[in-house]
Amino acid sequence: MLRRLALSAVVPLAVLAAAVPTSTATASGSASSGPVPSVAPTSGPFAAARPALGPLPMPLPLPGFLDDGEGTGAGETDEARTRLTVSVENTGVPGADGTFELECGPTGGTHPEGQAACDRLAEAGATRAGRQELFRETPEGTMCTMIHGGDATARIVGTWEGRAVDTTASRRDGCEIARWNSLVPVLPDVR
């Protein structure tokens, strides 16, 4: 989205930069045969020296801003700052219980579905609601269906997009089941 916003700002500036020298030449009389009406006074006390207009400078993109985050330093992607430890117990799914390391940008660690988990985190991080809700625990007093989804529990600790994460998840009621399912494949699919 930032790329689209930057491009939508740069393109109109490019059009203006290309149009200004043409309109200046026309207003100065070099491209026209007669006088050009002007809104600004050309004589008297309100006449001011007008600077010659030239092409407008093009804004320079910030490093890593328009190159899909392939830059270095300040342009480094948020995904590169993702390191999570995922501990899962009592899922009843062979190979799903245990403690796994997940690193994104580049994908690494011991997580059994590392690339899919990093893709899910990147997808959630692309929206403001996703960034706010992904690891948020169910608020106290929330009305949830009393459906028991199993004894599976998980704890996720580390950093995601540069933010500290320390959360637990279970399948004790409808809200927690929905929260768990939103974290698949970071957490195992136990449906």
mmCIF file of all heavy atoms in Angstrom, residues 22 25-34:
data_model
loop_
_atom_site.group_PDB
_atom_site.id
_atom_site.type_symbol
_atom_site.label_atom_id
_atom_site.label_comp_id
_atom_site.label_asym_id
_atom_site.label_seq_id
_atom_site.Cartn_x
_atom_site.Cartn_y
_atom_site.Cartn_z
ATOM 1 N N THR A 22 6.868 24.180 -20.139
ATOM 2 C CA THR A 22 6.066 24.499 -21.309
ATOM 3 C C THR A 22 5.194 25.712 -21.055
ATOM 4 O O THR A 22 5.124 26.627 -21.862
ATOM 5 C CB THR A 22 5.175 23.291 -21.681
ATOM 6 O OG1 THR A 22 6.027 22.161 -21.833
ATOM 7 C CG2 THR A 22 4.393 23.541 -22.929
ATOM 8 N N ALA A 25 7.349 28.876 -20.923
ATOM 9 C CA ALA A 25 7.751 29.349 -22.248
ATOM 10 C C ALA A 25 6.590 30.059 -22.926
ATOM 11 O O ALA A 25 6.758 31.086 -23.553
ATOM 12 C CB ALA A 25 8.232 28.175 -23.106
ATOM 13 N N THR A 26 5.392 29.549 -22.770
ATOM 14 C CA THR A 26 4.224 30.177 -23.377
ATOM 15 C C THR A 26 3.950 31.522 -22.725
ATOM 16 O O THR A 26 3.649 32.494 -23.392
ATOM 17 C CB THR A 26 2.995 29.260 -23.226
ATOM 18 O OG1 THR A 26 3.321 28.010 -23.804
ATOM 19 C CG2 THR A 26 1.782 29.835 -23.888
ATOM 20 N N ALA A 27 4.084 31.620 -21.415
ATOM 21 C CA ALA A 27 3.789 32.862 -20.713
ATOM 22 C C ALA A 27 4.844 33.925 -21.003
ATOM 23 O O ALA A 27 4.553 35.111 -20.976
ATOM 24 C CB ALA A 27 3.711 32.618 -19.205
ATOM 25 N N SER A 28 6.070 33.504 -21.275
ATOM 26 C CA SER A 28 7.110 34.504 -21.515
ATOM 27 C C SER A 28 7.028 35.085 -22.918
ATOM 28 O O SER A 28 7.699 36.061 -23.215
ATOM 29 C CB SER A 28 8.488 33.885 -21.279
ATOM 30 O OG SER A 28 8.717 32.881 -22.251
ATOM 31 N N GLY A 29 6.242 34.471 -23.779
ATOM 32 C CA GLY A 29 6.053 35.026 -25.105
ATOM 33 C C GLY A 29 6.905 34.371 -26.158
ATOM 34 O O GLY A 29 6.754 34.662 -27.329
ATOM 35 N N SER A 30 7.839 33.494 -25.807
ATOM 36 C CA SER A 30 8.711 32.885 -26.809
ATOM 37 C C SER A 30 7.946 31.918 -27.702
ATOM 38 O O SER A 30 8.314 31.733 -28.846
ATOM 39 C CB SER A 30 9.883 32.172 -26.126
ATOM 40 O OG SER A 30 9.390 31.118 -25.328
ATOM 41 N N ALA A 31 6.876 31.319 -27.222
ATOM 42 C CA ALA A 31 6.134 30.370 -28.029
ATOM 43 C C ALA A 31 4.802 30.958 -28.507
ATOM 44 O O ALA A 31 4.051 30.308 -29.176
ATOM 45 C CB ALA A 31 5.879 29.090 -27.244
ATOM 46 N N SER A 32 4.479 32.207 -28.115
ATOM 47 C CA SER A 32 3.205 32.793 -28.531
ATOM 48 C C SER A 32 3.466 34.045 -29.364
ATOM 49 O O SER A 32 4.520 34.649 -29.302
ATOM 50 C CB SER A 32 2.366 33.131 -27.287
ATOM 51 O OG SER A 32 3.007 34.136 -26.544
ATOM 52 N N SER A 33 2.458 34.434 -30.112
ATOM 53 C CA SER A 33 2.640 35.592 -30.997
ATOM 54 C C SER A 33 2.149 36.887 -30.376
ATOM 55 O O SER A 33 2.483 37.963 -30.843
ATOM 56 C CB SER A 33 1.903 35.329 -32.314
ATOM 57 O OG SER A 33 0.542 35.117 -32.043
ATOM 58 N N GLY A 34 1.351 36.814 -29.311
ATOM 59 C CA GLY A 34 0.807 38.033 -28.727
ATOM 60 C C GLY A 34 1.001 38.061 -27.234
ATOM 61 O O GLY A 34 1.563 37.155 -26.636
#
